[in-house]
Structure formats: structure tokens, C-alpha cells
Amino acid sequence: KQEVTQIPAALSVPEGENLVLNCSFTDSAIYNLQWFRQDPGKGLTSLLLIQSSQREQTSGRLNASLDKSSGRSTLYIAASQPGDSATYLCAWKTSYDKVIFGPGTSLSVIP
Amino acid sequence: DTAVSQTPKYLVTQMGNDKSIKCEQNLGHDTMYWYKQDSKKFLKIMFSYNNKELIINETVPNRFSPKSPDKAHLNLHINSLELGDSAVYFCASSRDRVGYGYTFGSGTRLTVV
């Protein structure tokens, strides 16, 4: 069964820390992988999309990497801020038209 | 100016009723989606349309019927509502089937009593 796991489920860090969120998917069939954030009561906001031919993508303080052979992606957040507090979800696109979301990591950045 | 707007934001209805949720995007995107987020926050894709053509139809009861009158609109009609249909339903769009420019609506919280 194809599925996505995210570790940790929840994370609380003091402001200013660098942190890593992990996403694992169950097989090597991958079209792309996308990271989203979801604020309470809101829809998802796309952060980064990594194509299967790429190894990483960067946007500001965010860096996402992809390791197809091990079925893993990481989202690195540098110098965390309270405004980064949200739930972060990864979405594994296994083929052109099939996408599976992970359960999310709930991040709390303490001022 | 809201990019992906869905209405209503909240919907409370009795079992057995039929209801619709509307979605419109003004981004000029080709692809639109319906997602269901259950009480445990798991997000699952239900349907996807590309240029008004159905391209994804996950294992969803046939009581759920999407309709795309044009590529800017994707509505969701639900017949004979059941308690288990209670969830937050999100509409989303992207520039193309690859997934660039993914934009979500703010969700419709459906409660079936």
C-alpha cells in the first residue's frame, strides 16, 4: 500500500533554531514531491515543489531535499520564527495524476 | 481578490439531504481538485479536473458528483448525506497537472446531523 509518513508528528522549538521535518514515502515511483503549510482553519499554501529529476529546492529560509532511492524528503527551516508555526504537509505525487498527502508535522515556534 | 473561493464556508444539514459546494478560481489555472480532510486531519484527494475533463476519480461513493461547467469552476454535489460525510472539503487549483502554483480555497466545513 502506498503511503506517506511524517516525523515528528509535532515539534516545539524556541525562536531562532534551525529545524528539519521529515517525509517518507513507500516506493521509488515518484513524479514530484511538494511541501505545504496549513494554518489553523485555513487551506494549504504551497511552499516548494521538487521534481523527480531534482535533488533540492530553496525559497528564502526554506530548503527541501529529495532522495528518491531512500524514499525520503526533508524540509529544512533556518532561523525559525513564531510566524512559521503551522502544520507542514508533504505531498507525494506517485505518477502524473496520483497524489498522496502525509499526515503533517505540527510546528510551534516559541518566542 | 480571492484566488480560489468556495461557498459556503459552513454547512450544517440533516442526514439524507442533498447539498452542493461551489468553487471558483480566478487564476487562469487548468487543473482543479476536490479534497476531503477528516477529523484526524488526513487530506485525501477526491477528484481532479483538467480543462473540464475528469482525470482523477478516487474511491469515492457515487453519491458525490463533481461538475465542471468551465475550467474556472468545479462544483461538488453530494446526495443522500451521511454522518460520515462530515469533514472539511477543500477546493484547489494548479497551473497544470504537474502541480505548479497549487492554491487552496479556505475550505467548507460540512456537518451532517
Side-chain angles (χ1 to χ4, degrees):
Chain A
K1 178 187 173 188
Q2 291 181 315
E3 60 181 20
V4 177
T5 55
Q6 290 189 243
I7 295 172
L11 182 63
S12 183
V13 299
E15 182 177 0
E17 274 204 7
N18 303 326
L19 56 101
V20 175
L21 308 181
N22 297 289
C23 170
S24 298
F25 41 97
T26 48
D27 62 57
S28 59
I30 180 166
Y31 189 81
N32 64 44
L33 189 130
Q34 192 156 183
W35 283 92
F36 293 85
R37 69 174 277 170
Q38 184 175 25
D39 294 282
K42 301 276 180 66
L44 280 67
T45 300
S46 177
L47 299 172
L48 291 163
L49 186 154
I50 313 175
Q51 295 284 28
S52 63
S53 58
Q54 298 172 325
R55 292 188 64 86
E56 65 177 347
Q57 283 287 332
T58 298
S59 176
R61 294 181 295 107
L62 305 179
N63 175 276
S65 66
L66 175 64
D67 184 341
K68 289 187 296 183
S69 61
S70 64
R72 292 181 184 174
S73 176
T74 60
L75 179 67
Y76 175 82
I77 303 177
S80 57
Q81 303 171 357
D84 295 331
S85 298
T87 297
Y88 290 81
L89 297 95
C90 65
W92 170 39
K93 198 160 191 179
T94 65
S95 64
Y96 198 34
D97 289 319
K98 185 176 173 78
V99 61
I100 302 172
F101 277 77
T105 293
S106 177
L107 172 65
S108 179
V109 180
I110 313 299
Chain B
D1 199 18
T2 306
V4 178
S5 59
Q6 50 183 112
T7 56
K9 192 170 176 64
Y10 299 97
L11 186 53
V12 181
T13 187
Q14 290 186 322
M15 282 175 55
N17 283 351
D18 303 338
K19 290 293 177 186
S20 291
I21 308 172
K22 295 186 175 182
C23 179
E24 175 182 1
Q25 55 97 0
N26 63 5
L27 298 167
H29 287 174
D30 285 344
T31 311
M32 295 187 72
Y33 313 82
W34 275 110
Y35 285 89
K36 179 180 179 181
Q37 189 170 44
D38 61 25
S39 57
K40 295 183 179 178
K41 305 295 185 186
F42 281 102
L43 194 67
K44 287 191 177 179
I45 191 164
M46 301 173 68
F47 302 103
S48 174
Y49 272 72
N50 189 68
N51 281 318
K52 301 196 300 175
E53 178 189 348
L54 179 65
I55 56 171
I56 295 178
N57 184 353
E58 290 295 308
T59 309
V60 176
N62 57 16
R63 298 182 294 104
F64 290 78
S65 54
K67 282 192 172 52
S68 182
D70 56 61
K71 79 172 194 179
H73 295 84
L74 180 61
N75 303 320
L76 183 65
H77 188 75
I78 315 170
N79 290 327
S80 303
L81 278 155
E82 300 177 357
L83 293 177
D85 297 333
S86 295
V88 180
Y89 292 84
F90 286 101
C91 176
S93 71
S94 63
R95 284 209 308 262
D96 50 34
R97 290 164 75 173
V98 173
Y100 284 109
Y102 231 113
T103 305
F104 276 73
S106 56
T108 294
R109 181 173 294 278
L110 171 65
T111 303
V112 182
V113 297

